[in-house]
Amino acid sequence: MTNPFDCITEFMFFETGIEPSEVILIPGGSHPQLMKKAAELYHRGLAPYILPSGGQSPKISSTEWEFLRAVGISLGVPENAILREDKATNTFENARYSWLELQQQGIRLRKAILVCKSYHARRALLTYQVEFPLNIEFFVSPVTDKTGTTSDNWYLDEHKINRVMNELTKVGQYFKQHIPKWVNK
């Protein structure tokens, strides 16, 4: 049976195929599942670097970067493979500061894997596409985070509905101002 909200599910929850890339990007968060997925992809040889991004968060006692870095090291990712961005406070800053870090490291980026929460996939991808040069190809590898929100259950629980609809609202709020810039290029 189809659900009248399938169009929201299809828009918000998606993933792409993955190809070898120069970096695995994580747009912040206090969910260990993000680094677990990134470490798995790193150990499969899909990228030589992981760049978790994120500054202070009220959800953890350190920066999101420090939290994710500790998870990565505990999973066998070498310290020198984890790049640092520990100032970002939102997804736009995650993307913007990550791009600056990659430039400072001299990494010539052609392809990047984006590891993000499943319900954050659309906004995360759009944000990185807006902040990074157009010629960079992104692959999206979403994870089910500690909230358990998935494409199959988001509409069955009020907290999950609120989480997904908040993300959907942010897509409109975040990108409304960017559309005229792209149309007029």
Side-chain angles (χ1 to χ4, degrees):
M1 178 167 83
T2 60
N3 174 327
F5 303 106
D6 284 346
C7 59
I8 293 172
T9 303
E10 291 168 16
F11 180 72
M12 297 299 290
F13 295 84
F14 73 97
E15 65 184 287
T16 68
I18 297 176
E19 294 181 13
S21 301
E22 288 77 37
V23 69
I24 300 164
L25 301 164
I26 306 174
S30 59
H31 302 265
Q33 296 84 350
L34 295 164
M35 183 53 90
K36 287 178 183 175
K37 172 61 93 169
E40 172 195 321
L41 297 172
Y42 172 85
H43 289 305
R44 287 176 40 199
L46 289 166
Y49 299 105
I50 300 174
L51 177 49
S53 173
Q56 291 294 324
S57 171
K59 297 177 184 174
I60 51 177
S61 61
S62 64
T63 65
E64 292 175 345
W65 177 82
E66 289 171 308
F67 171 79
L68 293 167
R69 176 182 174 271
V71 173
I73 290 169
S74 76
L75 296 170
V77 177
E79 287 185 48
N80 64 352
I82 301 174
L83 304 176
R84 182 181 194 132
E85 190 302 290
D86 60 359
K87 307 250 182 305
T89 61
N90 60 53
T91 307
F92 264 115
E93 289 181 357
N94 292 135
R96 187 173 301 128
Y97 298 161
S98 292
W99 174 244
L100 292 174
E101 175 63 19
L102 292 166
Q103 289 179 302
Q104 288 174 357
Q105 293 290 330
I107 296 172
R108 294 202 58 213
L109 196 62
R110 294 172 298 123
K111 297 179 181 183
I113 299 168
L114 187 60
V115 173
C116 56
K117 297 174 282 192
S118 61
Y119 54 89
H120 185 229
R122 181 62 63 187
R123 183 164 64 96
L125 175 61
L126 286 169
T127 304
Y128 278 74
Q129 287 174 323
V130 164
E131 290 294 317
F132 278 54
L134 287 175
N135 63 334
I136 295 172
E137 185 174 3
F138 289 95
F139 305 103
V140 179
S141 184
V143 300
T144 301
D145 67 8
K146 61 187 176 188
T147 69
T149 305
T150 69
S151 62
D152 296 326
N153 71 12
W154 74 267
Y155 49 84
L156 301 176
D157 169 272
E158 185 175 348
H159 294 293
K160 290 179 173 87
I161 292 168
N162 288 340
R163 187 169 286 110
V164 172
M165 296 311 288
N166 184 44
E167 278 296 315
L168 183 60
T169 300
K170 285 181 179 180
V171 168
Q173 292 170 341
Y174 266 52
F175 300 104
K176 179 181 173 187
Q177 65 191 5
H178 291 278
I179 293 170
K181 295 175 195 172
W182 289 96
V183 172
N184 296 320
K185 277 191 172 185

